[in-house]
Short mmCIF file of all heavy atoms in Angstrom, two decimals:
data_model
loop_
_atom_site.label_atom_id
_atom_site.label_comp_id
_atom_site.label_asym_id
_atom_site.label_seq_id
_atom_site.Cartn_x
_atom_site.Cartn_y
_atom_site.Cartn_z
N GLY A 18 -44.23 -73.77 44.57
CA GLY A 18 -45.06 -72.79 43.87
C GLY A 18 -44.23 -71.66 43.30
O GLY A 18 -44.72 -70.55 43.10
N ALA A 20 -43.11 -71.17 40.37
CA ALA A 20 -43.44 -70.71 39.02
C ALA A 20 -44.71 -69.85 39.04
O ALA A 20 -45.15 -69.36 38.00
CB ALA A 20 -43.63 -71.89 38.08
N GLY A 21 -45.29 -69.67 40.22
CA GLY A 21 -46.49 -68.85 40.34
C GLY A 21 -46.15 -67.39 40.59
O GLY A 21 -44.97 -67.01 40.64
N TYR A 22 -47.17 -66.61 40.76
CA TYR A 22 -47.00 -65.15 40.87
C TYR A 22 -46.11 -64.76 42.07
O TYR A 22 -44.97 -64.28 41.90
CB TYR A 22 -48.39 -64.52 40.96
CG TYR A 22 -48.44 -63.06 41.31
CD1 TYR A 22 -47.51 -62.16 40.80
CD2 TYR A 22 -49.46 -62.56 42.14
CE1 TYR A 22 -47.58 -60.80 41.12
CE2 TYR A 22 -49.55 -61.22 42.45
CZ TYR A 22 -48.60 -60.35 41.94
OH TYR A 22 -48.68 -59.02 42.26
N ILE A 23 -46.60 -64.99 43.28
CA ILE A 23 -45.88 -64.47 44.45
C ILE A 23 -44.59 -65.26 44.68
O ILE A 23 -43.54 -64.69 45.01
CB ILE A 23 -46.78 -64.48 45.71
CG1 ILE A 23 -48.08 -63.70 45.43
CG2 ILE A 23 -46.06 -63.86 46.90
CD1 ILE A 23 -49.13 -63.79 46.52
N ASP A 42 -42.42 -76.80 41.38
CA ASP A 42 -43.77 -76.41 40.97
C ASP A 42 -44.30 -77.49 40.02
O ASP A 42 -43.54 -78.02 39.21
CB ASP A 42 -43.72 -75.06 40.24
CG ASP A 42 -45.05 -74.35 40.21
OD1 ASP A 42 -46.03 -74.91 39.65
OD2 ASP A 42 -45.15 -73.23 40.74
N ASN A 43 -45.58 -77.81 40.13
CA ASN A 43 -46.14 -78.79 39.18
C ASN A 43 -46.74 -78.11 37.95
O ASN A 43 -47.31 -78.77 37.09
CB ASN A 43 -47.19 -79.68 39.87
CG ASN A 43 -48.41 -78.89 40.33
OD1 ASN A 43 -48.52 -77.69 40.10
ND2 ASN A 43 -49.34 -79.57 40.98
N LEU A 44 -46.62 -76.80 37.88
CA LEU A 44 -47.10 -75.98 36.75
C LEU A 44 -48.60 -76.09 36.53
O LEU A 44 -49.09 -75.88 35.43
CB LEU A 44 -46.34 -76.32 35.45
CG LEU A 44 -44.84 -76.05 35.47
CD1 LEU A 44 -44.21 -76.36 34.12
CD2 LEU A 44 -44.55 -74.58 35.84
N SER A 45 -49.36 -76.40 37.60
CA SER A 45 -50.81 -76.47 37.45
C SER A 45 -51.40 -75.09 37.17
O SER A 45 -52.30 -74.94 36.36
CB SER A 45 -51.47 -77.09 38.69
OG SER A 45 -51.01 -76.45 39.87
N THR A 46 -50.89 -74.05 37.84
CA THR A 46 -51.31 -72.68 37.51
C THR A 46 -50.10 -71.78 37.25
O THR A 46 -50.27 -70.61 36.93
CB THR A 46 -52.15 -72.05 38.65
OG1 THR A 46 -51.35 -72.01 39.84
CG2 THR A 46 -53.43 -72.81 38.91
N GLY A 47 -48.90 -72.31 37.38
CA GLY A 47 -47.69 -71.50 37.22
C GLY A 47 -47.22 -71.47 35.77
O GLY A 47 -47.78 -72.14 34.90
N GLU A 59 -42.36 -80.73 39.80
CA GLU A 59 -42.71 -81.77 40.75
C GLU A 59 -43.92 -81.35 41.56
O GLU A 59 -44.14 -80.17 41.81
CB GLU A 59 -41.51 -82.02 41.69
CG GLU A 59 -41.56 -83.28 42.47
CD GLU A 59 -41.81 -84.51 41.58
OE1 GLU A 59 -40.87 -84.98 40.89
OE2 GLU A 59 -42.96 -84.98 41.59
N ASP A 60 -44.70 -82.34 41.99
CA ASP A 60 -45.86 -82.07 42.84
C ASP A 60 -45.43 -82.25 44.29
O ASP A 60 -44.77 -83.24 44.61
CB ASP A 60 -46.98 -83.05 42.48
CG ASP A 60 -48.31 -82.59 43.04
OD1 ASP A 60 -48.43 -82.50 44.29
OD2 ASP A 60 -49.22 -82.31 42.25
N ILE A 61 -45.83 -81.32 45.15
CA ILE A 61 -45.41 -81.44 46.55
C ILE A 61 -46.03 -82.65 47.24
O ILE A 61 -45.59 -83.05 48.31
CB ILE A 61 -45.69 -80.16 47.38
CG1 ILE A 61 -47.16 -79.74 47.28
CG2 ILE A 61 -44.75 -79.03 46.99
CD1 ILE A 61 -47.58 -78.71 48.32
N LYS A 62 -47.04 -83.24 46.61
CA LYS A 62 -47.64 -84.45 47.20
C LYS A 62 -46.73 -85.66 47.03
O LYS A 62 -46.96 -86.70 47.65
CB LYS A 62 -49.03 -84.70 46.59
CG LYS A 62 -50.06 -83.64 47.00
CD LYS A 62 -51.49 -84.05 46.77
CE LYS A 62 -51.97 -83.93 45.35
NZ LYS A 62 -51.74 -82.66 44.67
N PHE A 82 -45.47 -71.68 48.87
CA PHE A 82 -46.53 -70.92 48.18
C PHE A 82 -47.51 -71.84 47.45
O PHE A 82 -48.58 -71.40 47.05
CB PHE A 82 -45.90 -69.99 47.12
CG PHE A 82 -44.93 -69.00 47.69
CD1 PHE A 82 -43.58 -69.29 47.78
CD2 PHE A 82 -45.36 -67.76 48.13
CE1 PHE A 82 -42.68 -68.38 48.31
CE2 PHE A 82 -44.48 -66.85 48.66
CZ PHE A 82 -43.13 -67.16 48.75
N ALA A 83 -47.09 -73.10 47.18
CA ALA A 83 -47.87 -73.97 46.30
C ALA A 83 -49.26 -74.23 46.87
O ALA A 83 -49.40 -74.78 47.96
CB ALA A 83 -47.14 -75.29 46.10
N ALA A 84 -50.27 -73.82 46.12
CA ALA A 84 -51.66 -74.03 46.55
C ALA A 84 -52.58 -73.63 45.41
O ALA A 84 -52.16 -72.95 44.48
CB ALA A 84 -51.97 -73.18 47.78
N SER A 86 -55.94 -71.28 44.76
CA SER A 86 -56.38 -70.11 45.53
C SER A 86 -57.60 -69.38 44.96
O SER A 86 -57.78 -68.20 45.21
CB SER A 86 -55.22 -69.14 45.70
OG SER A 86 -54.69 -68.78 44.45
N ASN A 101 -55.24 -80.69 47.57
CA ASN A 101 -53.98 -80.02 47.19
C ASN A 101 -53.41 -79.16 48.31
O ASN A 101 -52.23 -79.26 48.64
CB ASN A 101 -54.22 -79.15 45.95
CG ASN A 101 -52.91 -78.78 45.28
OD1 ASN A 101 -52.07 -79.64 45.01
ND2 ASN A 101 -52.72 -77.50 45.04
N SER A 124 -47.51 -69.33 53.14
CA SER A 124 -48.42 -68.31 52.59
C SER A 124 -49.84 -68.61 53.01
O SER A 124 -50.50 -69.45 52.41
CB SER A 124 -48.38 -68.35 51.06
OG SER A 124 -47.09 -68.20 50.58
N SER A 125 -50.31 -67.90 54.02
CA SER A 125 -51.72 -68.01 54.36
C SER A 125 -52.45 -66.78 53.81
O SER A 125 -51.89 -66.04 52.97
CB SER A 125 -51.90 -68.16 55.87
OG SER A 125 -53.24 -68.49 56.17
N THR A 126 -53.64 -66.56 54.26
CA THR A 126 -54.48 -65.55 53.60
C THR A 126 -55.44 -64.88 54.57
O THR A 126 -55.82 -65.48 55.59
CB THR A 126 -55.31 -66.24 52.49
OG1 THR A 126 -56.35 -65.38 52.06
CG2 THR A 126 -55.97 -67.52 52.98
N TYR A 150 -61.55 -72.63 50.40
CA TYR A 150 -60.18 -72.11 50.25
C TYR A 150 -59.66 -71.60 51.59
O TYR A 150 -58.60 -72.01 52.07
CB TYR A 150 -60.15 -71.00 49.19
CG TYR A 150 -58.87 -70.19 49.20
CD1 TYR A 150 -57.64 -70.80 48.98
CD2 TYR A 150 -58.89 -68.81 49.46
CE1 TYR A 150 -56.45 -70.07 49.01
CE2 TYR A 150 -57.72 -68.08 49.49
CZ TYR A 150 -56.50 -68.71 49.27
OH TYR A 150 -55.33 -67.99 49.30
N LYS A 154 -56.66 -73.21 54.24
CA LYS A 154 -55.49 -72.51 54.79
C LYS A 154 -55.51 -72.53 56.32
O LYS A 154 -54.48 -72.63 56.97
CB LYS A 154 -55.47 -71.06 54.27
CG LYS A 154 -55.21 -70.93 52.78
CD LYS A 154 -53.74 -71.16 52.46
CE LYS A 154 -53.47 -71.01 50.98
NZ LYS A 154 -52.05 -71.04 50.64
N TYR A 177 -51.58 -62.97 53.84
CA TYR A 177 -51.57 -61.87 52.87
C TYR A 177 -52.98 -61.34 52.68
O TYR A 177 -53.94 -62.11 52.66
CB TYR A 177 -51.14 -62.32 51.47
CG TYR A 177 -49.91 -63.17 51.33
CD1 TYR A 177 -49.81 -64.03 50.24
CD2 TYR A 177 -48.84 -63.10 52.21
CE1 TYR A 177 -48.69 -64.82 50.04
CE2 TYR A 177 -47.72 -63.88 52.01
CZ TYR A 177 -47.65 -64.74 50.94
OH TYR A 177 -46.56 -65.53 50.73
N PHE A 178 -53.05 -60.03 52.43
CA PHE A 178 -54.30 -59.45 51.94
C PHE A 178 -54.22 -59.51 50.40
O PHE A 178 -53.88 -60.57 49.89
CB PHE A 178 -54.53 -58.08 52.60
CG PHE A 178 -55.02 -58.28 54.02
CD1 PHE A 178 -54.21 -58.90 54.98
CD2 PHE A 178 -56.31 -57.95 54.40
CE1 PHE A 178 -54.67 -59.18 56.27
CE2 PHE A 178 -56.78 -58.21 55.69
CZ PHE A 178 -55.96 -58.83 56.61
N ASN A 179 -54.51 -58.48 49.63
CA ASN A 179 -54.54 -58.66 48.17
C ASN A 179 -53.22 -58.27 47.53
O ASN A 179 -52.88 -57.08 47.49
CB ASN A 179 -55.67 -57.82 47.57
CG ASN A 179 -57.03 -58.39 47.93
OD1 ASN A 179 -57.39 -58.44 49.10
ND2 ASN A 179 -57.76 -58.84 46.94
N ALA A 180 -52.52 -59.26 47.00
CA ALA A 180 -51.21 -58.99 46.38
C ALA A 180 -51.40 -58.30 45.03
O ALA A 180 -52.34 -58.60 44.29
CB ALA A 180 -50.46 -60.30 46.20
N HIS A 191 -52.31 -65.30 35.21
CA HIS A 191 -53.13 -66.48 35.48
C HIS A 191 -54.15 -66.68 34.36
O HIS A 191 -54.59 -65.72 33.74
CB HIS A 191 -53.91 -66.30 36.80
CG HIS A 191 -53.05 -66.23 38.01
ND1 HIS A 191 -53.10 -65.19 38.92
CD2 HIS A 191 -52.12 -67.07 38.50
CE1 HIS A 191 -52.25 -65.41 39.90
NE2 HIS A 191 -51.62 -66.54 39.66
N HIS A 196 -58.18 -61.91 39.72
CA HIS A 196 -57.84 -60.76 40.56
C HIS A 196 -58.19 -59.44 39.89
O HIS A 196 -58.11 -59.30 38.66
CB HIS A 196 -56.36 -60.82 40.96
CG HIS A 196 -56.08 -61.96 41.89
ND1 HIS A 196 -54.92 -62.70 41.87
CD2 HIS A 196 -56.85 -62.51 42.87
CE1 HIS A 196 -54.98 -63.65 42.80
NE2 HIS A 196 -56.15 -63.54 43.42
N1 LIG B 429 -52.37 -63.61 45.17
C1 LIG B 429 -52.90 -63.20 46.31
O1 LIG B 429 -53.39 -62.07 46.41
C2 LIG B 429 -52.87 -64.08 47.54
C3 LIG B 429 -53.52 -63.63 48.70
C4 LIG B 429 -53.48 -64.43 49.84
C5 LIG B 429 -52.79 -65.64 49.82
N2 LIG B 429 -52.20 -66.06 48.68
C6 LIG B 429 -51.47 -67.35 48.71
O2 LIG B 429 -50.17 -67.14 48.20
C7 LIG B 429 -49.72 -68.31 47.49
C8 LIG B 429 -49.27 -67.91 46.10
O3 LIG B 429 -50.36 -67.29 45.43
P1 LIG B 429 -50.22 -66.85 43.89
O4 LIG B 429 -51.19 -65.76 43.67
O5 LIG B 429 -48.80 -66.67 43.56
O6 LIG B 429 -50.79 -68.17 43.18
P2 LIG B 429 -50.27 -68.88 41.86
O7 LIG B 429 -51.39 -69.76 41.41
O8 LIG B 429 -49.74 -67.89 40.89
O9 LIG B 429 -49.05 -69.76 42.37
C9 LIG B 429 -49.21 -71.02 43.00
C10 LIG B 429 -48.19 -71.96 42.37
O10 LIG B 429 -48.24 -73.22 43.04
C11 LIG B 429 -48.16 -74.25 42.07
N3 LIG B 429 -48.77 -75.44 42.68
C12 LIG B 429 -50.06 -75.61 43.07
N4 LIG B 429 -50.23 -76.82 43.61
C13 LIG B 429 -49.02 -77.46 43.58
C14 LIG B 429 -48.55 -78.74 43.99
N5 LIG B 429 -49.37 -79.62 44.54
N6 LIG B 429 -47.25 -79.04 43.79
C15 LIG B 429 -46.41 -78.15 43.22
N7 LIG B 429 -46.79 -76.92 42.79
C16 LIG B 429 -48.10 -76.58 42.98
C17 LIG B 429 -48.88 -73.71 40.85
O11 LIG B 429 -48.52 -74.33 39.65
C18 LIG B 429 -48.46 -72.24 40.89
O12 LIG B 429 -47.28 -72.01 40.15
C19 LIG B 429 -50.88 -69.29 47.51
O13 LIG B 429 -50.66 -70.21 48.55
C20 LIG B 429 -52.09 -68.42 47.82
O14 LIG B 429 -53.10 -69.13 48.49
C21 LIG B 429 -52.22 -65.32 47.54
#
Side-chain angles (χ1 to χ4, degrees):
Y22 170 39
I23 305 172
D42 200 299
N43 65 3
L44 297 183
S45 50
T46 60
E59 195 52 77
D60 195 298
I61 54 166
K62 292 197 281 310
F82 301 91
S86 56
N101 197 50
S124 305
S125 190
T126 166
Y150 166 60
K154 292 284 181 172
Y177 312 153
F178 284 64
N179 289 63
H191 295 125
H196 292 144

